[in-house]
Every structure is written in structure tokens, then in C-alpha cells.
Amino acid sequence: VLISRTKLPPFIATLGTWSIYGSLVLLIAHSETIRSQEVQLQAPLLQWLGSSFKVGGFVLTYSSLLMILLAAGTWFILHRTAFGRHLHATGDDPVAAELAGINTKRVLLVTYTLAGGICALAGWIFIARIGAITPNGASSSNLDAITAVVIGGTSLFGGRGSIIGTLIGALIVGVFRDGLALAGVDVLWQEFAVGALIIVAVIVDQWIRRISS
């Protein structure tokens, strides 16, 4: 609503609400971590996505299956529906999209609402992955998410993106982080490397935009 109705810049809206909701989480949770045993007793559904099942010789988690289904559904919406075309047009040039008859405010409102729902699912998956609930968990996930989508070919300036590319980008970031951890690289330098990676990815994105234009 802040972005679509009051024209607040998305970056400012993100930082502002991030601080507000982050503070509320700490307030409600009293800055305490709920241990795995307590979660299992009081809210076992929160750990369900971390459960695994076998398919042939492979062992998969329900969270992996949810990710695949979510990616497939998002791909269908973006490439096979009018809303998806409107979303691409709004991201590429909102003024031109509005002149073409697209309700850009509604598109933005629905898009950010869907993004918020996906973030909620990500939080659920994170709880299932570690088994516990911590108000300070996944503090670097925002940077990882941005890095993954940029590496996957999504433009930070709008109008261009790919769900399959995002999945590949997420795998690259995950392998990159795990590789650094297995190599014994300090956490400080892991964050340094991921930050450098996203800067390089954005530079490449800008270079591609200049060439294509």
C-alpha cells in the first residue's frame, strides 16, 4: 500500500518496514529463541516442511517440493496470464504501462502482497530447516535473495526476469556459501564474498542493459 498508493520508493518502504517488523518480532519474542523441543510440543506443524520422503533412490524434503511447486506456479502466472504480462510491462516502464490501460497500482499491490506471502513461506521453511525459532535468524537471507535473482538474470531496474534463472541463481549462491564454509573460510569473509558477488552481478546487469539498448 505504501508503494502503490503513496508512491513511496520501494527501497525506502522496504528498509522502513523491515526495521518496524524486526523490532516487533524482538518485542513479541522477548528476544528469546524457542528451542526445537518446545516447537515440537507446541507447534509441530512449523517443523513439518523439514520432514523428508524418498522418491526412488533420492531423499527429498517437503520444503524442496514446495519450492518446485511454487516456482512452477509463479512461472505459469508470469508467462501464461494477463497479469504476468502486465507485471512485466509495469516493471519495464510504469508510465507506458499506465498509458496502455494497465492498472499499475493494482499490479503493484498484488505483486508485493504475493511477495510478502512467499516471504512468509520462506520463514516457515527456515524454521523447519533449523527446527527452532529465533528472532535474529536468517539475517543474511535478504542479501542472498537479491544476489540469487540478479545472478539468475532478473534486472534490478525491472522488465526482465526468469523464474528458472532465479532457481539457478539460488543454487549458485547456496553452493558458493557452502563451498566457502567447507573450505574453512571465516564467516566474516563469506559475507564479504557474497557482497562482492552481488556488486559484480549488478555491474554485469547494467552492462547488458546498455548493450541491449
Side-chain angles (χ1 to χ4, degrees), residues 163-188:
I163 294 300
I164 296 176
T166 298
L167 287 176
I168 295 174
L171 289 174
I172 292 174
V173 173
V175 171
F176 185 70
R177 273 194 177 275
D178 290 344
L180 292 175
L182 291 173
V185 178
D186 188 83
V187 175
L188 173 65

Side-chain angles (χ1 to χ4, degrees), residues 54-74:
K54 289 186 177 181
V55 178
F58 300 95
V59 178
L60 300 175
T61 60
Y62 288 105
S63 58
S64 300
L65 180 61
L66 176 62
M67 179 192 68
I68 295 172
L69 293 175
L70 184 62
T74 306

Side-chain angles (χ1 to χ4, degrees), residues 16-169:
T17 54
W18 184 12
S19 298
I20 292 171
Y21 290 124
S23 300
L24 290 176
V25 167
L26 292 173
L27 178 64
I28 294 172
H30 303 290
S31 300
E32 297 177 354
T33 297
I34 302 176
R35 296 176 297 177
S36 178
Q37 296 84 350
E38 296 176 358
V39 176
Q40 182 62 37
L41 290 175
Q42 299 180 21
L45 183 62
L46 291 177
Q47 295 181 341
W48 175 73
L49 285 177
S51 304
S52 60
F53 62 95
K54 289 186 177 181
V55 178
F58 300 95
V59 178
L60 300 175
T61 60
Y62 288 105
S63 58
S64 300
L65 180 61
L66 176 62
M67 179 192 68
I68 295 172
L69 293 175
L70 184 62
T74 306
W75 180 90
F76 179 82
I77 291 173
L78 289 177
H79 296 279
R80 292 292 184 269
T81 66
F83 174 77
R85 291 190 290 272
H86 293 172
L87 177 58
H88 277 103
T90 301
D92 187 42
D93 191 334
V95 176
E98 193 166 0
L99 292 174
I102 297 174
N103 189 337
T104 56
K105 291 183 179 179
R106 182 185 300 170
V107 170
L108 287 175
L109 182 62
V110 173
T111 301
Y112 281 108
T113 301
L114 290 174
I118 293 173
C119 288
L121 288 176
W124 184 11
I125 291 173
F126 178 75
I127 293 172
R129 180 181 179 183
I130 66 174
I133 301 175
T134 171
N136 294 315
S139 58
S140 63
S141 294
N142 291 305
L143 182 59
D144 288 350
I146 296 171
T147 307
V149 296
V150 173
I151 291 177
T154 298
S155 174
L156 290 178
F157 304 98
R160 188 181 78 245
S162 167
I163 294 300
I164 296 176
T166 298
L167 287 176
I168 295 174

